[in-house]
Amino acid sequence: MAAVNRFPDMPEYTGLNTPVGEEYDIALPNVEGQIPADIEGTFFRAVPDPAFPPFIEDGGAILSGDGMISAIRINRGTASCAMRFVGTARHKAEVAAGRALFGKYRNPYTDRAEAKGVDRTVANTTPIWHAGRLLMSKEDGHPYRVDPQTLETIGSYDFNGKLRSATMSAHARIDPQTHEMFSFGYEADGLASTKVSYFIVDNEGELRREQWFDAPYCALMHDFAITKNYVLFPVYPTTCDAARVRAGGDHWVHEPGRESWVGVMPRDGDVKELRWFRGPKGVFCFHMLNAFEDADGRIQLDQCMADVNVFPFIQRASGLSVSPQDANGRLARWTIDLRKGSDTVTETVVGPPGDVPVIPASSQGRAQSHAWMLTMNPQMQGPPLPGGPVGVMFNTLLRLDFSGGPPQALALAPNECFNEPAYVSAADPAHGGWLLSVVNRQTGPAQFDSALWILAADDVPAGPVAKIAIPKRLRPQVHGWWVSAAEFGDSDRN
């Protein structure tokens, strides 16, 4: 636990990951090309950005950066950008102290004394929009509600006192027909707990049902999926041990010899109906593309999978050293047949390595015809741009056609990278819609510029129809959420 008074010279704090710590609200007048007329709304982005240097150099600090809520607003062909720290209890405590108070990732036993009893979440992973409310989420606590207009923090949010779980996932799924929000929280009643909370929020934003169940072991359950009739809870062997945490160790360790699982239950049913299906040993996935029921009634779960957890700090804690290119990354489809007696999944590879997949909101829980994801250009000359929690950024945007057509790809130069895209539907139903992505470009040894690219979703290789320059250096985002101008009219709820 070496003490430091500046940001360490580590990949987590250098290059594109260099902390910024700046709040602003600026116009974006420099536009190359033309912003499509039917793009009206706000692209919210979650950007982790530590306000103070850590006093413990390692231990997952890349995931512990203070939450920044970014809003890129597009209105009648003009754009602006705002950035604010999320006013979490943790951020406020450290600002008051003038230094970092919290130690290793998700380990309160490594905190300074002043941090005792303070909510540890940094709300830095996903902006979630539902029923007129904007929530900044991170899976180790409750989300924080943020004013979507001013970006001022309203406070920690527990659905008006109805959420019993101590945590809420960084990911939520919203049904395109009922507009219900489905979510969950793991370690629901404390560190290293196997308890998982599953809850449903209706289209008015009221939490109407919460149920708890036990996972096979305490695991890093970052994402999940719904179909029209079912909810799926994947469990992969990146695990937490209470004794290790109490001893000051790392929260997460990956266990390659342990089996993965996926729990399946009717999404409006009872947890007593939950059935567990066995998956391969040692695999890990951070993000689901989608899940759906096919014509034969089988459940198909599409996920960005690898044979190991690729986060460097988790590998170090696990005594592993597997590079992303050696992790057997693939878009894997797990088939689950509830009608048969088998308790195992069948895996089929349906796409290349990659992550942060995107589908139209209308395809959630239904068979998708197309999807988009980020990947690496296998023919790129030169190393990829360092940055982000895995250490390298994606340089290729991929469009996948699940109706049998060929994939499309747009590869960037070696000094450029994509951030997770967001899908925006077009006013014309015959149009394939749009994609928004912040693209970073290295211009010098420690210099970077950024721009919001707008692309036709059905013609990715054509490149951007518009580039909106952002005259501020941006840290890589984790996740984003597009909110149309029409949806903003519903943002005045209590």
Side-chain angles (χ1 to χ4, degrees):
M1 293 189 181
V4 295
N5 56 15
R6 59 178 178 79
F7 285 102
D9 186 16
M10 298 171 60
E12 290 86 346
Y13 303 103
T14 56
L16 197 56
N17 282 344
T18 301
V20 178
E22 184 182 1
E23 300 180 309
Y24 51 82
D25 193 338
I26 56 174
L28 303 177
N30 295 324
V31 179
E32 179 183 330
Q34 187 170 1
I35 299 173
D38 50 359
I39 298 183
E40 294 266 342
T42 302
F43 184 22
F44 291 107
R45 303 166 59 246
V47 183
D49 195 354
F52 297 96
F55 63 92
I56 299 174
E57 286 195 353
D58 204 353
I62 189 68
L63 302 182
S64 294
D66 293 278
M68 280 274 204
I69 176 68
S70 166
I72 301 177
R73 306 188 193 277
I74 300 177
N75 178 34
R76 298 181 181 180
T78 65
S80 64
C81 180
M83 185 85 78
R84 296 282 186 277
F85 277 111
V86 182
T88 62
R90 173 175 174 151
H91 179 66
K92 290 179 178 179
E94 291 194 330
V95 168
R99 61 175 184 164
L101 301 178
F102 299 83
K104 285 189 174 183
Y105 180 65
R106 297 182 71 165
N107 190 336
Y109 297 97
T110 64
D111 294 347
R112 285 177 162 144
E114 303 99 300
K116 186 175 181 179
V118 178
D119 180 10
R120 294 183 96 253
T121 192
V122 284
N124 69 2
T125 307
T126 308
I128 296 173
W129 177 267
H130 181 248
R133 298 184 181 94
L134 177 63
L135 305 178
M136 280 288 283
S137 66
K138 184 175 178 63
E139 59 216 57
D140 61 353
H142 288 162
Y144 271 72
R145 188 178 172 193
V146 174
D147 185 304
Q149 302 286 357
T150 67
L151 302 188
E152 295 298 322
T153 301
I154 298 171
S156 180
Y157 193 68
D158 61 2
F159 298 89
N160 299 315
K162 292 183 178 180
L163 182 62
R164 294 183 291 114
S165 174
T167 63
M168 173 178 163
S169 170
H171 289 279
R173 302 289 177 177
I174 297 175
D175 186 272
Q177 294 179 344
T178 68
H179 304 292
E180 297 167 294
M181 181 173 77
F182 298 83
S183 191
F184 73 103
Y186 66 92
E187 293 183 86
D189 63 351
L191 284 170
S193 168
T194 60
K195 298 295 182 184
V196 178
S197 162
Y198 165 54
F199 57 97
I200 304 172
V201 181
D202 69 20
N203 63 343
E204 295 293 324
E206 294 294 320
L207 194 155
R208 67 173 174 86
R209 191 177 190 192
E210 180 182 8
Q211 303 180 75
W212 288 37
F213 62 89
D214 281 291
Y217 46 81
C218 179
L220 201 175
M221 298 171 64
H222 180 69
D223 200 357
F224 77 126
I226 61 169
T227 72
K228 187 175 181 180
N229 296 294
Y230 295 94
V231 58
L232 288 73
F233 301 100
V235 177
Y236 312 104
T238 294
T239 65
C240 181
D241 176 75
R244 182 177 69 240
V245 174
R246 286 195 296 268
D250 293 277
H251 191 103
W252 297 123
V253 165
H254 191 72
E255 300 185 55
R258 199 163 193 170
E259 289 170 323
S260 59
W261 296 88
V262 58
V264 182
M265 63 171 279
R267 72 183 204 182
D268 289 307
D270 192 284
V271 292
K272 294 178 182 178
E273 302 174 82
L274 186 66
R275 293 175 58 185
W276 289 101
F277 293 82
R278 193 185 312 266
K281 291 183 178 180
V283 297
F284 194 85
C285 165
F286 276 107
H287 300 114
M288 317 291 123
L289 185 147
N290 194 21
F292 60 92
E293 299 152 53
D294 66 17
D296 296 321
R298 299 171 301 180
I299 294 174
Q300 308 288 359
L301 172 62
D302 294 345
Q303 48 194 324
C304 298
M305 181 159 285
D307 284 349
V308 70
N309 191 311
V310 296
F311 270 22
F313 82 94
I314 292 177
Q315 289 204 18
R316 288 194 294 269
S318 311
L320 302 172
S321 181
V322 182
S323 65
Q325 59 265 32
D326 294 328
N328 189 28
R330 70 271 190 196
L331 183 60
R333 173 167 292 178
W334 283 7
T335 300
I336 301 167
D337 195 334
L338 298 175
R339 301 167 301 179
K340 294 185 177 180
S342 173
D343 69 345
T344 59
V345 304
T346 301
E347 179 176 316
T348 306
V349 176
V350 294
D355 206 352
V356 290
V358 174
I359 58 173
S362 59
S363 296
Q364 187 70 244
R366 282 72 175 167
Q368 70 277 353
S369 60
H370 300 88
W372 298 264
M373 61 187 289
L374 299 183
T375 187
M376 290 293 192
N377 177 11
Q379 299 178 336
M380 186 180 70
Q381 302 297 312
L385 189 63
V390 180
V392 292
M393 299 293 289
F394 291 108
N395 55 41
T396 301
L397 175 61
L398 193 66
R399 178 184 182 270
L400 299 173
D401 189 335
F402 291 92
S403 61
Q408 298 179 3
L410 175 62
L412 299 177
N415 65 329
E416 297 177 320
C417 66
F418 285 108
N419 286 252
E420 178 195 57
Y423 178 84
V424 181
S425 59
D428 180 359
H431 191 282
W434 308 98
L435 295 177
L436 308 181
S437 177
V438 169
V439 172
N440 302 111
R441 180 171 65 104
Q442 186 167 15
T443 59
Q447 289 79 44
F448 302 85
D449 63 23
S450 303
L452 179 69
W453 285 19
I454 302 175
L455 305 100
D458 276 356
D459 192 7
V460 165
V465 299
K467 297 181 183 179
I468 305 173
I470 302 172
K472 298 284 186 179
R473 187 175 61 79
L474 297 178
R475 254 189 153 222
Q477 76 181 61
V478 184
H479 296 296
W481 199 289
W482 170 258
V483 181
S484 69
E487 291 177 280
F488 247 90
D490 196 30
S491 64
D492 57 353
R493 298 173 185 267
N494 293 326

